[in-house]
Amino acid sequence: PVMTASGTFGYADEYNDFINVENLGAIVTKAISLLPREGNKHIRIAETKAGMINSIGLENVGIEKFLSDKVPVLNANNIEFIVNIAGSTVEEYTNLAKICSSNNIKAIELNVSCPNVKTGCLEFGTDDKSLYELVSAVRNEYKGFLMVKLTPNVTSIESIGIAAEKAGADAVSAINTLKG
């Protein structure tokens, strides 16, 4: 059951020319926010000797366009998926969770680890109490499979992961981007 990492695989069928996406266990979508986001200004990717540094900034189409344009493609192609959701406040995350629930989205991943945005995400993912409150609030609104994407940019990823579990996460995804 191999899955893609969010942010690396688009939304649906962008890789059909390269692989049979149906053979994957699931794809984890690019992050989705309540409203569309342009992301950070270019240049957003820089190659280094050790790999690359990115600063995409959660560019995405927003939840409405995702539901109207991307979900039908995923369903038509029998692609299992987990929706990565990102917000700046607890309310944004819970609103996204409610929308996913009411649209029968089977699985979501909370993005609490993106280091390339000014507010949200990492603010929750670096503090076990804040993360616990966020995951608990989302769990109250969403009964499907709930995964939390952790950041490596903490002193103790173990305490962060335990807070996610205690708050109701079904799994954690380790790890998102290292700060460059």
Side-chain angles (χ1 to χ4, degrees), residues 66-84:
F66 174 75
L67 292 169
S68 67
D69 295 1
K70 307 301 183 182
V71 170
V73 174
L74 290 160
N75 289 335
N77 289 294
N78 297 314
I79 299 169
E80 295 294 330
F81 62 96
I82 298 171
V83 180
N84 179 284

Side-chain angles (χ1 to χ4, degrees), residues 65-153:
K65 192 162 182 75
F66 174 75
L67 292 169
S68 67
D69 295 1
K70 307 301 183 182
V71 170
V73 174
L74 290 160
N75 289 335
N77 289 294
N78 297 314
I79 299 169
E80 295 294 330
F81 62 96
I82 298 171
V83 180
N84 179 284
I85 62 173
S88 296
T89 65
V90 171
E91 291 75 25
E92 286 182 19
Y93 281 98
T94 56
N95 285 338
L96 283 161
K98 286 178 196 176
I99 292 167
C100 287
S101 183
S102 67
N103 284 277
N104 300 312
I105 302 295
K106 294 189 279 186
I108 61 175
E109 176 183 65
L110 299 184
N111 187 333
V112 295
S113 51
C114 178
N116 299 317
V117 293
K118 291 181 179 157
T119 61
C121 293
L122 201 57
E123 293 173 317
F124 297 105
T126 56
D127 179 77
D128 55 350
K129 290 179 181 81
S130 294
L131 182 64
Y132 181 88
E133 290 172 13
L134 174 65
V135 175
S136 294
V138 169
R139 177 47 81 201
N140 285 335
E141 300 298 336
Y142 184 79
K143 303 307 176 204
F145 181 81
L146 176 59
M147 183 163 54
V148 179
K149 187 171 188 177
L150 302 180
T151 178
N153 301 302

